[in-house]
Amino acid sequence: MLELLSDFRNIIFPVFFVGFLLGTLVLLALSDREILPNRELARKAWVGGFILVLVAVTVLGSTLIPIVEMHKFSHPSEEQNTAYEFVVVDEDENELFYDYRATPPTTDSRSSTVAWRMVDDYSDQERMETAAFYLSNAKEYRSDIESGSYPPPTDLIDPPRYVDDEQWTASTLEEYGEFESIRIYERTLTVNEDDTALESHDEKLLLTVDVDDRSITEHDHS
């Protein structure tokens, strides 16, 4: 699934947004003409379908491709939150937090679920395949940044990113050698009862997948 999304990442968003705009313009152009049979029904179905999708992603709190960032409300914050994070590692064991712009439309929250499954659910073959996907995308994304070809023109019509993350830059990447492996950390944040202060921040290294050497290391914290 991830590889399929990667293959079409430069097509999914442009097709959806351009198609929606073009469809709207066509319906508006035909609104006062007899060219389109049942044009009133077509317009209502168009608008109703779009509103239905917006309501669905808002009420369910789910992200639907390609409408992945259009739900209005986040989930209520809990006192303790645990997330699983990808980190890329270079040949000198330097770590860099993963920039999920490398795997559109996957966000950090969705990748957290993938990372958790890599640790607790996936077979070694699935772990290797998933790590290879994230690593190859990271390398391609890095190459685009270093060559100056990122962001692509289609980025102008992408929805805004409602996540707090740090984007890779060419100057940052200068400090790193070739990426060779993927690591997964468990990060737990605990806040006070009023959600006004961070009480603790704990992280544990759980898994290392070296794609080049095809080795997998589970880190024991018992």
Side-chain angles (χ1 to χ4, degrees), residues 108-135:
D108 53 350
S109 60
R110 293 302 172 190
S111 288
S112 177
T113 302
V114 174
W116 168 75
R117 288 178 177 172
M118 285 182 66
V119 173
D120 290 341
D121 188 42
Y122 284 0
S123 66
D124 284 350
Q125 180 179 351
E126 290 173 322
R127 286 172 167 179
M128 189 62 64
E129 290 175 351
T130 305
F133 166 79
Y134 277 92
L135 187 64

Side-chain angles (χ1 to χ4, degrees), residues 30-78:
L30 298 177
S31 61
D32 295 326
R33 302 178 185 179
E34 298 297 334
I35 300 176
L36 182 66
N38 299 322
R39 60 186 184 278
E40 228 12 81
L41 179 61
R43 288 203 307 273
K44 290 180 180 179
W46 184 265
V47 176
F50 184 70
I51 293 176
L52 181 63
V53 171
L54 289 180
V55 171
V57 297
T58 299
V59 174
L60 299 177
S62 177
T63 53
L64 304 178
I65 296 172
I67 309 175
V68 295
E69 296 292 355
M70 298 186 71
H71 51 290
K72 294 180 179 295
F73 308 107
S74 62
H75 296 291
S77 177
E78 298 180 357

Side-chain angles (χ1 to χ4, degrees), residues 30 70 81 127 141 158 199:
L30 298 177
M70 298 186 71
N81 290 279
R127 286 172 167 179
Y141 176 58
D158 281 351
E199 291 187 346

Side-chain angles (χ1 to χ4, degrees), residues 1 37 56 60 105 116 122 158 198 201-202 208 217:
M1 181 63 177
L60 299 177
W116 168 75
Y122 284 0
D158 281 351
L198 180 64
H201 175 198
D202 301 316
T208 298
T217 305

Side-chain angles (χ1 to χ4, degrees), residues 151-172:
T154 54
D155 193 58
L156 297 174
I157 59 174
D158 281 351
R161 293 177 58 84
Y162 297 104
V163 292
D164 182 19
D165 57 6
E166 185 173 345
Q167 185 174 7
W168 292 352
T169 63
S171 59
T172 299

